[in-house]
Amino acid sequence: MINPDPLKAADDLDKWAAGLEQRARSYARLQERMDATTASAASPDGSIRVTVDSNGVPTGITLSERSRALEPTALSAGIMSVMRAAQAVLRQPVQVLVAETVPAEDQPARDIVAQYERRFPDPAPEPGADREVTREMRIGQVEDDTSPPPPRPNRTDATDDDWGDRGFLR
């Protein structure tokens, strides 16, 4: 049924548009905070440390002197294992950022969280592993944080689809 009061209809349309603008600002803020989010993990002995950006792409791999004693296959398996652990750490900051930034009832917000849960499950335990990897995260940048965000890797030889560099909202 058409509203017989054109002023009320115009007011309703203005409110609807304002609500859309607010949601768009919330999602833009979420994207900014996500872009500044990183997660890291380290092997139990500290020989391998991997940091990933909010897309799960490695932005840093650090190998200690202890890694020199590893066979190449063990080293590469260790790097992959620690990278998967760092990626799994991303789920928690994503949940926090989504909850803090956008309305929880929004289906796109729930979809973002579900996407991270599917993409970055907990890694399978390593055979014979007696300790968990060390995990940490950095959730976005707060207003008083003056440290620069981690550098983005140079991807001149990769397409956006290869690395998922478009972010989750683009």
Side-chain angles (χ1 to χ4, degrees):
M1 178 175 173
I2 298 176
N3 189 345
D5 182 359
L7 293 177
K8 173 137 176 42
D11 187 48
D12 289 346
L13 187 57
D14 286 343
K15 288 178 183 176
W16 179 74
L20 286 179
E21 288 176 13
Q22 177 58 39
R23 284 179 65 193
R25 284 190 299 270
S26 294
Y27 278 96
R29 176 70 177 138
L30 177 61
Q31 181 68 55
E32 288 173 12
R33 294 185 70 195
M34 288 292 299
D35 287 345
T37 299
T38 62
S40 297
S43 60
D45 66 358
S47 63
I48 302 167
R49 179 179 182 77
V50 177
T51 300
V52 296
D53 67 11
S54 63
N55 290 312
V57 176
T59 59
I61 298 174
T62 305
L63 305 174
S64 76
E65 287 296 319
R66 284 184 237 160
S67 68
R68 289 180 181 245
L70 297 172
E71 293 294 323
T73 54
L75 179 59
S76 61
I79 291 170
M80 293 303 294
S81 175
V82 173
M83 181 185 71
R84 284 189 294 274
Q87 290 169 334
V89 171
L90 285 173
R91 290 191 324 260
Q92 183 185 10
V94 167
Q95 290 171 346
V96 169
L97 288 174
V98 168
E100 289 177 352
T101 312
V102 296
E105 68 275 359
D106 277 7
Q107 184 61 45
R110 291 191 303 266
D111 290 345
I112 291 167
V113 172
Q115 175 190 22
Y116 273 79
E117 289 171 351
R118 283 190 306 275
R119 285 179 61 202
F120 304 124
D122 283 328
E126 295 294 316
D130 57 348
R131 296 186 293 173
E132 279 193 37
V133 295
T134 303
R135 301 170 188 212
E136 66 182 54
M137 63 188 153
R138 181 166 188 259
I139 302 177
Q141 284 185 298
V142 293
E143 285 70 19
D144 62 347
D145 185 357
T146 57
S147 61
R152 304 286 287 187
N154 182 357
R155 298 186 196 116
T156 56
D157 60 340
T159 66
D160 284 347
D161 289 336
D162 290 334
W163 291 93
D165 193 33
R166 292 172 293 187
F168 61 87
L169 295 177
R170 296 182 192 145

PDB file of all heavy atoms in Angstrom, residues 116-145:
ATOM      1  N   TYR A 116      36.263 -16.642   7.453  1.00  0.00           N
ATOM      2  CA  TYR A 116      37.536 -16.860   8.133  1.00  0.00           C
ATOM      3  C   TYR A 116      37.568 -18.221   8.822  1.00  0.00           C
ATOM      4  O   TYR A 116      38.609 -18.873   8.860  1.00  0.00           O
ATOM      5  CB  TYR A 116      37.826 -15.725   9.122  1.00  0.00           C
ATOM      6  CG  TYR A 116      38.519 -14.568   8.450  1.00  0.00           C
ATOM      7  CD1 TYR A 116      37.798 -13.656   7.690  1.00  0.00           C
ATOM      8  CD2 TYR A 116      39.883 -14.397   8.554  1.00  0.00           C
ATOM      9  CE1 TYR A 116      38.418 -12.610   7.050  1.00  0.00           C
ATOM     10  CE2 TYR A 116      40.521 -13.350   7.917  1.00  0.00           C
ATOM     11  CZ  TYR A 116      39.783 -12.455   7.163  1.00  0.00           C
ATOM     12  OH  TYR A 116      40.423 -11.422   6.526  1.00  0.00           O
ATOM     13  N   GLU A 117      36.448 -18.646   9.365  1.00  0.00           N
ATOM     14  CA  GLU A 117      36.403 -19.966  10.002  1.00  0.00           C
ATOM     15  C   GLU A 117      36.638 -21.067   8.978  1.00  0.00           C
ATOM     16  O   GLU A 117      37.303 -22.066   9.275  1.00  0.00           O
ATOM     17  CB  GLU A 117      35.064 -20.165  10.712  1.00  0.00           C
ATOM     18  CG  GLU A 117      34.938 -19.297  11.949  1.00  0.00           C
ATOM     19  CD  GLU A 117      33.544 -19.303  12.559  1.00  0.00           C
ATOM     20  OE1 GLU A 117      32.602 -19.853  11.937  1.00  0.00           O
ATOM     21  OE2 GLU A 117      33.402 -18.749  13.662  1.00  0.00           O
ATOM     22  N   ARG A 118      36.092 -20.910   7.768  1.00  0.00           N
ATOM     23  CA  ARG A 118      36.303 -21.916   6.717  1.00  0.00           C
ATOM     24  C   ARG A 118      37.724 -21.874   6.161  1.00  0.00           C
ATOM     25  O   ARG A 118      38.343 -22.904   5.938  1.00  0.00           O
ATOM     26  CB  ARG A 118      35.318 -21.700   5.571  1.00  0.00           C
ATOM     27  CG  ARG A 118      33.923 -22.182   5.831  1.00  0.00           C
ATOM     28  CD  ARG A 118      33.071 -22.145   4.564  1.00  0.00           C
ATOM     29  NE  ARG A 118      33.046 -20.852   3.899  1.00  0.00           N
ATOM     30  CZ  ARG A 118      32.229 -19.851   4.202  1.00  0.00           C
ATOM     31  NH1 ARG A 118      31.352 -19.995   5.181  1.00  0.00           N
ATOM     32  NH2 ARG A 118      32.270 -18.711   3.539  1.00  0.00           N
ATOM     33  N   ARG A 119      38.222 -20.675   5.905  1.00  0.00           N
ATOM     34  CA  ARG A 119      39.539 -20.534   5.273  1.00  0.00           C
ATOM     35  C   ARG A 119      40.686 -20.907   6.194  1.00  0.00           C
ATOM     36  O   ARG A 119      41.715 -21.407   5.724  1.00  0.00           O
ATOM     37  CB  ARG A 119      39.751 -19.083   4.812  1.00  0.00           C
ATOM     38  CG  ARG A 119      38.975 -18.723   3.579  1.00  0.00           C
ATOM     39  CD  ARG A 119      39.197 -17.279   3.181  1.00  0.00           C
ATOM     40  NE  ARG A 119      40.595 -17.008   2.878  1.00  0.00           N
ATOM     41  CZ  ARG A 119      41.138 -15.796   2.919  1.00  0.00           C
ATOM     42  NH1 ARG A 119      40.416 -14.756   3.260  1.00  0.00           N
ATOM     43  NH2 ARG A 119      42.399 -15.626   2.629  1.00  0.00           N
ATOM     44  N   PHE A 120      40.535 -20.633   7.491  1.00  0.00           N
ATOM     45  CA  PHE A 120      41.654 -20.797   8.410  1.00  0.00           C
ATOM     46  C   PHE A 120      41.267 -21.649   9.615  1.00  0.00           C
ATOM     47  O   PHE A 120      41.191 -21.159  10.742  1.00  0.00           O
ATOM     48  CB  PHE A 120      42.167 -19.434   8.864  1.00  0.00           C
ATOM     49  CG  PHE A 120      42.552 -18.523   7.725  1.00  0.00           C
ATOM     50  CD1 PHE A 120      41.980 -17.271   7.599  1.00  0.00           C
ATOM     51  CD2 PHE A 120      43.469 -18.931   6.770  1.00  0.00           C
ATOM     52  CE1 PHE A 120      42.324 -16.428   6.557  1.00  0.00           C
ATOM     53  CE2 PHE A 120      43.818 -18.099   5.716  1.00  0.00           C
ATOM     54  CZ  PHE A 120      43.246 -16.842   5.606  1.00  0.00           C
ATOM     55  N   PRO A 121      41.064 -22.951   9.397  1.00  0.00           N
ATOM     56  CA  PRO A 121      40.738 -23.828  10.533  1.00  0.00           C
ATOM     57  C   PRO A 121      41.973 -24.051  11.401  1.00  0.00           C
ATOM     58  O   PRO A 121      43.101 -23.729  10.993  1.00  0.00           O
ATOM     59  CB  PRO A 121      40.306 -25.122   9.851  1.00  0.00           C
ATOM     60  CG  PRO A 121      41.074 -25.129   8.564  1.00  0.00           C
ATOM     61  CD  PRO A 121      41.152 -23.670   8.146  1.00  0.00           C
ATOM     62  N   ASP A 122      41.753 -24.592  12.589  1.00  0.00           N
ATOM     63  CA  ASP A 122      42.901 -24.946  13.421  1.00  0.00           C
ATOM     64  C   ASP A 122      43.740 -25.973  12.682  1.00  0.00           C
ATOM     65  O   ASP A 122      43.200 -26.923  12.107  1.00  0.00           O
ATOM     66  CB  ASP A 122      42.441 -25.533  14.758  1.00  0.00           C
ATOM     67  CG  ASP A 122      41.970 -24.462  15.719  1.00  0.00           C
ATOM     68  OD1 ASP A 122      42.509 -23.342  15.665  1.00  0.00           O
ATOM     69  OD2 ASP A 122      41.069 -24.747  16.522  1.00  0.00           O
ATOM     70  N   PRO A 123      45.061 -25.800  12.683  1.00  0.00           N
ATOM     71  CA  PRO A 123      45.914 -26.770  12.000  1.00  0.00           C
ATOM     72  C   PRO A 123      45.891 -28.114  12.726  1.00  0.00           C
ATOM     73  O   PRO A 123      45.694 -28.174  13.941  1.00  0.00           O
ATOM     74  CB  PRO A 123      47.311 -26.140  12.046  1.00  0.00           C
ATOM     75  CG  PRO A 123      47.245 -25.091  13.097  1.00  0.00           C
ATOM     76  CD  PRO A 123      45.813 -24.702  13.268  1.00  0.00           C
ATOM     77  N   ALA A 124      46.077 -29.164  11.947  1.00  0.00           N
ATOM     78  CA  ALA A 124      46.140 -30.505  12.529  1.00  0.00           C
ATOM     79  C   ALA A 124      47.383 -30.598  13.400  1.00  0.00           C
ATOM     80  O   ALA A 124      48.425 -30.021  13.073  1.00  0.00           O
ATOM     81  CB  ALA A 124      46.190 -31.555  11.427  1.00  0.00           C
ATOM     82  N   PRO A 125      47.299 -31.307  14.537  1.00  0.00           N
ATOM     83  CA  PRO A 125      48.483 -31.446  15.391  1.00  0.00           C
ATOM     84  C   PRO A 125      49.595 -32.181  14.644  1.00  0.00           C
ATOM     85  O   PRO A 125      49.334 -33.105  13.890  1.00  0.00           O
ATOM     86  CB  PRO A 125      47.993 -32.266  16.586  1.00  0.00           C
ATOM     87  CG  PRO A 125      46.558 -32.557  16.356  1.00  0.00           C
ATOM     88  CD  PRO A 125      46.147 -31.997  15.042  1.00  0.00           C
ATOM     89  N   GLU A 126      50.789 -31.722  14.855  1.00  0.00           N
ATOM     90  CA  GLU A 126      51.947 -32.344  14.235  1.00  0.00           C
ATOM     91  C   GLU A 126      52.264 -33.656  14.955  1.00  0.00           C
ATOM     92  O   GLU A 126      52.199 -33.713  16.182  1.00  0.00           O
ATOM     93  CB  GLU A 126      53.169 -31.418  14.313  1.00  0.00           C
ATOM     94  CG  GLU A 126      53.017 -30.142  13.527  1.00  0.00           C
ATOM     95  CD  GLU A 126      52.925 -30.378  12.037  1.00  0.00           C
ATOM     96  OE1 GLU A 126      53.706 -31.193  11.509  1.00  0.00           O
ATOM     97  OE2 GLU A 126      52.057 -29.763  11.401  1.00  0.00           O
ATOM     98  N   PRO A 127      52.592 -34.705  14.205  1.00  0.00           N
ATOM     99  CA  PRO A 127      52.958 -35.962  14.862  1.00  0.00           C
ATOM    100  C   PRO A 127      54.159 -35.763  15.786  1.00  0.00           C
ATOM    101  O   PRO A 127      55.136 -35.131  15.413  1.00  0.00           O
ATOM    102  CB  PRO A 127      53.323 -36.885  13.695  1.00  0.00           C
ATOM    103  CG  PRO A 127      52.752 -36.243  12.471  1.00  0.00           C
ATOM    104  CD  PRO A 127      52.656 -34.781  12.763  1.00  0.00           C
ATOM    105  N   GLY A 128      54.029 -36.235  16.997  1.00  0.00           N
ATOM    106  CA  GLY A 128      55.122 -36.154  17.964  1.00  0.00           C
ATOM    107  C   GLY A 128      55.304 -34.781  18.571  1.00  0.00           C
ATOM    108  O   GLY A 128      56.246 -34.567  19.323  1.00  0.00           O
ATOM    109  N   ALA A 129      54.431 -33.844  18.240  1.00  0.00           N
ATOM    110  CA  ALA A 129      54.573 -32.501  18.808  1.00  0.00           C
ATOM    111  C   ALA A 129      54.163 -32.530  20.268  1.00  0.00           C
ATOM    112  O   ALA A 129      53.110 -33.025  20.621  1.00  0.00           O
ATOM    113  CB  ALA A 129      53.702 -31.510  18.042  1.00  0.00           C
ATOM    114  N   ASP A 130      55.036 -32.023  21.125  1.00  0.00           N
ATOM    115  CA  ASP A 130      54.754 -32.049  22.553  1.00  0.00           C
ATOM    116  C   ASP A 130      54.252 -30.702  23.074  1.00  0.00           C
ATOM    117  O   ASP A 130      53.803 -30.608  24.193  1.00  0.00           O
ATOM    118  CB  ASP A 130      55.988 -32.487  23.338  1.00  0.00           C
ATOM    119  CG  ASP A 130      57.197 -31.602  23.077  1.00  0.00           C
ATOM    120  OD1 ASP A 130      57.160 -30.796  22.140  1.00  0.00           O
ATOM    121  OD2 ASP A 130      58.169 -31.730  23.835  1.00  0.00           O
ATOM    122  N   ARG A 131      54.347 -29.652  22.257  1.00  0.00           N
ATOM    123  CA  ARG A 131      53.885 -28.334  22.688  1.00  0.00           C
ATOM    124  C   ARG A 131      53.179 -27.639  21.537  1.00  0.00           C
ATOM    125  O   ARG A 131      53.449 -27.917  20.375  1.00  0.00           O
ATOM    126  CB  ARG A 131      55.076 -27.469  23.113  1.00  0.00           C
ATOM    127  CG  ARG A 131      55.818 -28.007  24.316  1.00  0.00           C
ATOM    128  CD  ARG A 131      56.871 -27.050  24.746  1.00  0.00           C
ATOM    129  NE  ARG A 131      57.912 -26.968  23.721  1.00  0.00           N
ATOM    130  CZ  ARG A 131      58.909 -26.111  23.734  1.00  0.00           C
ATOM    131  NH1 ARG A 131      59.018 -25.253  24.694  1.00  0.00           N
ATOM    132  NH2 ARG A 131      59.812 -26.095  22.785  1.00  0.00           N
ATOM    133  N   GLU A 132      52.307 -26.712  21.874  1.00  0.00           N
ATOM    134  CA  GLU A 132      51.643 -25.911  20.855  1.00  0.00           C
ATOM    135  C   GLU A 132      52.563 -24.797  20.391  1.00  0.00           C
ATOM    136  O   GLU A 132      53.466 -24.394  21.112  1.00  0.00           O
ATOM    137  CB  GLU A 132      50.377 -25.278  21.422  1.00  0.00           C
ATOM    138  CG  GLU A 132      49.206 -26.196  21.462  1.00  0.00           C
ATOM    139  CD  GLU A 132      47.929 -25.420  21.721  1.00  0.00           C
ATOM    140  OE1 GLU A 132      47.795 -24.290  21.219  1.00  0.00           O
ATOM    141  OE2 GLU A 132      47.093 -25.971  22.406  1.00  0.00           O
ATOM    142  N   VAL A 133      52.268 -24.299  19.210  1.00  0.00           N
ATOM    143  CA  VAL A 133      53.011 -23.139  18.730  1.00  0.00           C
ATOM    144  C   VAL A 133      52.592 -21.921  19.534  1.00  0.00           C
ATOM    145  O   VAL A 133      51.517 -21.882  20.115  1.00  0.00           O
ATOM    146  CB  VAL A 133      52.762 -22.890  17.223  1.00  0.00           C
ATOM    147  CG1 VAL A 133      53.291 -24.027  16.396  1.00  0.00           C
ATOM    148  CG2 VAL A 133      51.305 -22.644  16.941  1.00  0.00           C
ATOM    149  N   THR A 134      53.467 -20.945  19.584  1.00  0.00           N
ATOM    150  CA  THR A 134      53.174 -19.683  20.250  1.00  0.00           C
ATOM    151  C   THR A 134      52.395 -18.826  19.266  1.00  0.00           C
ATOM    152  O   THR A 134      52.782 -18.709  18.108  1.00  0.00           O
ATOM    153  CB  THR A 134      54.489 -18.970  20.630  1.00  0.00           C
ATOM    154  OG1 THR A 134      55.247 -19.846  21.446  1.00  0.00           O
ATOM    155  CG2 THR A 134      54.211 -17.674  21.343  1.00  0.00           C
ATOM    156  N   ARG A 135      51.293 -18.233  19.732  1.00  0.00           N
ATOM    157  CA  ARG A 135      50.447 -17.439  18.842  1.00  0.00           C
ATOM    158  C   ARG A 135      50.231 -16.055  19.433  1.00  0.00           C
ATOM    159  O   ARG A 135      50.126 -15.902  20.629  1.00  0.00           O
ATOM    160  CB  ARG A 135      49.088 -18.116  18.661  1.00  0.00           C
ATOM    161  CG  ARG A 135      49.194 -19.504  18.091  1.00  0.00           C
ATOM    162  CD  ARG A 135      47.880 -20.210  18.166  1.00  0.00           C
ATOM    163  NE  ARG A 135      48.047 -21.600  17.789  1.00  0.00           N
ATOM    164  CZ  ARG A 135      47.129 -22.310  17.183  1.00  0.00           C
ATOM    165  NH1 ARG A 135      45.968 -21.780  16.909  1.00  0.00           N
ATOM    166  NH2 ARG A 135      47.361 -23.550  16.869  1.00  0.00           N
ATOM    167  N   GLU A 136      50.159 -15.070  18.548  1.00  0.00           N
ATOM    168  CA  GLU A 136      49.823 -13.711  18.969  1.00  0.00           C
ATOM    169  C   GLU A 136      49.128 -13.012  17.826  1.00  0.00           C
ATOM    170  O   GLU A 136      49.179 -13.457  16.688  1.00  0.00           O
ATOM    171  CB  GLU A 136      51.061 -12.938  19.388  1.00  0.00           C
ATOM    172  CG  GLU A 136      52.029 -12.677  18.254  1.00  0.00           C
ATOM    173  CD  GLU A 136      53.269 -11.961  18.717  1.00  0.00           C
ATOM    174  OE1 GLU A 136      53.933 -12.437  19.645  1.00  0.00           O
ATOM    175  OE2 GLU A 136      53.555 -10.909  18.133  1.00  0.00           O
ATOM    176  N   MET A 137      48.456 -11.920  18.139  1.00  0.00           N
ATOM    177  CA  MET A 137      47.763 -11.169  17.108  1.00  0.00           C
ATOM    178  C   MET A 137      47.856  -9.686  17.402  1.00  0.00           C
ATOM    179  O   MET A 137      48.119  -9.277  18.518  1.00  0.00           O
ATOM    180  CB  MET A 137      46.310 -11.597  17.039  1.00  0.00           C
ATOM    181  CG  MET A 137      45.542 -11.320  18.297  1.00  0.00           C
ATOM    182  SD  MET A 137      43.932 -12.042  18.207  1.00  0.00           S
ATOM    183  CE  MET A 137      43.642 -12.268  19.948  1.00  0.00           C
ATOM    184  N   ARG A 138      47.635  -8.912  16.389  1.00  0.00           N
ATOM    185  CA  ARG A 138      47.561  -7.463  16.505  1.00  0.00           C
ATOM    186  C   ARG A 138      46.286  -7.054  15.807  1.00  0.00           C
ATOM    187  O   ARG A 138      46.149  -7.214  14.604  1.00  0.00           O
ATOM    188  CB  ARG A 138      48.757  -6.805  15.843  1.00  0.00           C
ATOM    189  CG  ARG A 138      48.724  -5.314  15.961  1.00  0.00           C
ATOM    190  CD  ARG A 138      50.080  -4.728  15.606  1.00  0.00           C
ATOM    191  NE  ARG A 138      50.071  -3.337  15.915  1.00  0.00           N
ATOM    192  CZ  ARG A 138      49.915  -2.385  15.007  1.00  0.00           C
ATOM    193  NH1 ARG A 138      49.778  -2.674  13.758  1.00  0.00           N
ATOM    194  NH2 ARG A 138      49.915  -1.129  15.371  1.00  0.00           N
ATOM    195  N   ILE A 139      45.341  -6.571  16.569  1.00  0.00           N
ATOM    196  CA  ILE A 139      44.028  -6.225  16.027  1.00  0.00           C
ATOM    197  C   ILE A 139      44.014  -4.764  15.639  1.00  0.00           C
ATOM    198  O   ILE A 139      43.999  -3.888  16.491  1.00  0.00           O
ATOM    199  CB  ILE A 139      42.909  -6.495  17.045  1.00  0.00           C
ATOM    200  CG1 ILE A 139      42.924  -7.947  17.469  1.00  0.00           C
ATOM    201  CG2 ILE A 139      41.563  -6.101  16.459  1.00  0.00           C
ATOM    202  CD1 ILE A 139      41.908  -8.279  18.518  1.00  0.00           C
ATOM    203  N   GLY A 140      44.000  -4.515  14.350  1.00  0.00           N
ATOM    204  CA  GLY A 140      43.882  -3.155  13.843  1.00  0.00           C
ATOM    205  C   GLY A 140      44.836  -2.181  14.499  1.00  0.00           C
ATOM    206  O   GLY A 140      45.728  -2.568  15.220  1.00  0.00           O
ATOM    207  N   GLN A 141      44.644  -0.935  14.229  1.00  0.00           N
ATOM    208  CA  GLN A 141      45.408   0.112  14.890  1.00  0.00           C
ATOM    209  C   GLN A 141      44.438   0.946  15.696  1.00  0.00           C
ATOM    210  O   GLN A 141      43.400   1.356  15.189  1.00  0.00           O
ATOM    211  CB  GLN A 141      46.105   1.006  13.873  1.00  0.00           C
ATOM    212  CG  GLN A 141      47.323   0.366  13.260  1.00  0.00           C
ATOM    213  CD  GLN A 141      48.020   1.362  12.374  1.00  0.00           C
ATOM    214  OE1 GLN A 141      47.470   1.831  11.415  1.00  0.00           O
ATOM    215  NE2 GLN A 141      49.249   1.682  12.709  1.00  0.00           N
ATOM    216  N   VAL A 142      44.791   1.183  16.936  1.00  0.00           N
ATOM    217  CA  VAL A 142      43.965   2.078  17.735  1.00  0.00           C
ATOM    218  C   VAL A 142      44.407   3.504  17.465  1.00  0.00           C
ATOM    219  O   VAL A 142      45.510   3.741  16.986  1.00  0.00           O
ATOM    220  CB  VAL A 142      44.048   1.729  19.243  1.00  0.00           C
ATOM    221  CG1 VAL A 142      43.425   0.377  19.508  1.00  0.00           C
ATOM    222  CG2 VAL A 142      45.472   1.752  19.737  1.00  0.00           C
ATOM    223  N   GLU A 143      43.553   4.437  17.792  1.00  0.00           N
ATOM    224  CA  GLU A 143      43.804   5.828  17.457  1.00  0.00           C
ATOM    225  C   GLU A 143      45.119   6.359  18.018  1.00  0.00           C
ATOM    226  O   GLU A 143      45.785   7.163  17.412  1.00  0.00           O
ATOM    227  CB  GLU A 143      42.645   6.710  17.938  1.00  0.00           C
ATOM    228  CG  GLU A 143      41.413   6.593  17.063  1.00  0.00           C
ATOM    229  CD  GLU A 143      40.694   5.247  17.167  1.00  0.00           C
ATOM    230  OE1 GLU A 143      40.901   4.506  18.162  1.00  0.00           O
ATOM    231  OE2 GLU A 143      39.947   4.914  16.248  1.00  0.00           O
ATOM    232  N   ASP A 144      45.525   5.905  19.203  1.00  0.00           N
ATOM    233  CA  ASP A 144      46.756   6.426  19.790  1.00  0.00           C
ATOM    234  C   ASP A 144      47.983   5.590  19.425  1.00  0.00           C
ATOM    235  O   ASP A 144      49.069   5.854  19.880  1.00  0.00           O
ATOM    236  CB  ASP A 144      46.631   6.562  21.304  1.00  0.00           C
ATOM    237  CG  ASP A 144      46.387   5.226  21.993  1.00  0.00           C
ATOM    238  OD1 ASP A 144      46.071   4.242  21.300  1.00  0.00           O
ATOM    239  OD2 ASP A 144      46.515   5.185  23.219  1.00  0.00           O
ATOM    240  N   ASP A 145      47.821   4.602  18.584  1.00  0.00           N
ATOM    241  CA  ASP A 145      48.935   3.764  18.146  1.00  0.00           C
ATOM    242  C   ASP A 145      49.635   4.480  17.004  1.00  0.00           C
ATOM    243  O   ASP A 145      49.058   4.711  15.951  1.00  0.00           O
ATOM    244  CB  ASP A 145      48.410   2.408  17.676  1.00  0.00           C
ATOM    245  CG  ASP A 145      49.523   1.440  17.324  1.00  0.00           C
ATOM    246  OD1 ASP A 145      50.708   1.832  17.394  1.00  0.00           O
ATOM    247  OD2 ASP A 145      49.209   0.294  16.982  1.00  0.00           O
TER     248      ASP A 145
END
